[in-house]
Amino acid sequence: MKHFLGERAAGIAPYVAGEQPADRRYVKLNTNENPYPPSPEAVKALRGFAAETLNRYPQPCSDRLREAIARAEGVAPENVFCSNGSDETLFLCFAAFFDRTAPVCFAELTYSFYAVYAAFFGVESVTVPLCEGYRIDLDAMRNTPCKGYFIANPNAPTGVGIPRAAFEQFLKAVPDRLVIADEAYMDFYGESLASVAAKYDNLLVVKTFSKSYSLAGIRCGYALGSSALIEGLNRVKDCMNSYPVDSVCAAVCAAAIADGAYREKTARQVCGERDRVRAELLKLGFTVPESGANFLFAGKGKIAGGALYARLKENGVLVRHWDTPALCDFCRITVGTPTENDFLLKTIKTILG
């Protein structure tokens, strides 16, 4: 059969999202969703949205949402960019700031979308191995010739974070290189660079409503940075989609980010459960780096990573596993509710006999 794929689409290896099976009911701990519902204020905004206004396009730059984000993050609205999920922001970063003239650098073991986007845009990528404790090696990155960096903090899938002071030191050491700090899981770590995003010309902080705000189903992300970097993102955004954030999404996310107390409360609950589950997994003989995210990277135990994934799935628990040399020994386990986590631990103990 004749196909019409272009050379780029035919040759690309797409990102593989976490599975969303419908064959049965699972304890779903595979895609790092927040186990708690969104803020009551966000729910109220959704239910109270004036549906009769949907005949009009949304604001191209999501002005009201930008203002709400700016208030919450302590920056000016001109330092905020809104998108249809943080992945879209990361995609636009490649379009706006990177090309074939110089490589981009990121960790060898990190969010796999960085490599997918680099390949899609034909940008050479240089990867740096993690160092002891599964930490991102900032010293090696600094000594790697490149135009800029994508740094997930806390990192995915390991969950290991970089303290703010160490990250700022790195920023000062590479003033002529762009540093994109992907802070999708930052609210479970508490070392954000958001408040200084406009202070450094070479820093762009990327955040999402999917994790700590419990809004993975609404798809919204944002970036914080200098007005020049924000203008660059808007320039390429308007070449692709002038209205990336719909009106309903903007209203719900503005209400969610204004309710900081609720976000902090649920993040504390997740962190408490994360530390409890990690302690139990360590007792069971797993290697589990200390996580700053809402998930745990567990492996090298009495059972292979792939076998643990398969046995858990048989017993109604979904976790994430990658069948690659660097990751095959591990599973990434999202932190669920206390009840979900108890079931996970009980199932693992049963599997281990």
Side-chain angles (χ1 to χ4, degrees), residues 79-97:
N79 301 123
V80 180
F81 173 83
C82 299
S83 64
N84 183 242
S86 61
D87 287 336
E88 182 178 80
T89 302
L90 297 172
F91 181 89
L92 293 173
C93 283
F94 273 93
F97 308 122

Side-chain angles (χ1 to χ4, degrees), residues 128-183:
V128 173
L130 299 182
C131 54
E132 186 180 358
Y134 300 93
R135 292 179 296 108
I136 288 178
D137 193 339
L138 292 180
D139 289 335
M141 281 191 161
R142 187 180 66 243
N143 294 320
T144 300
C146 63
K147 186 177 182 182
Y149 310 88
F150 282 80
I151 302 176
N153 187 32
N155 194 20
T158 64
V160 178
I162 303 167
R164 180 169 43 234
F167 210 131
E168 281 207 66
Q169 216 171 13
F170 174 75
L171 279 169
K172 292 171 184 173
V174 290
D176 297 324
R177 300 177 188 176
L178 178 60
V179 180
I180 294 160
D182 184 354
E183 293 191 351

Side-chain angles (χ1 to χ4, degrees), residues 297-310:
F297 186 60
K300 297 189 175 178
K302 298 171 185 175
I303 183 171
L308 178 61
Y309 158 78

Side-chain angles (χ1 to χ4, degrees), residues 287-300:
T287 295
V288 192
E290 187 171 356
S291 174
N294 68 337
F295 58 83
L296 294 162
F297 186 60
K300 297 189 175 178

Side-chain angles (χ1 to χ4, degrees), residues 19-98:
E19 59 189 313
Q20 307 282 351
D23 60 321
R24 61 178 286 188
R25 204 175 162 86
Y26 290 93
V27 173
K28 193 168 179 297
L29 305 176
N30 67 324
T31 48
N32 300 343
E33 293 139 326
N34 196 318
Y36 301 106
S39 157
E41 294 302 314
V43 175
K44 191 194 314 186
L46 177 61
R47 289 177 176 160
F49 185 81
E52 63 273 13
T53 65
L54 288 176
N55 61 316
R56 302 298 183 190
Y57 283 109
Q59 296 170 319
C61 290
S62 311
D63 293 339
R64 283 191 288 276
L65 177 56
R66 288 172 75 202
E67 289 165 6
I69 293 169
R71 281 193 296 273
E73 297 286 16
V75 298
E78 58 263 30
N79 301 123
V80 180
F81 173 83
C82 299
S83 64
N84 183 242
S86 61
D87 287 336
E88 182 178 80
T89 302
L90 297 172
F91 181 89
L92 293 173
C93 283
F94 273 93
F97 308 122
F98 296 95

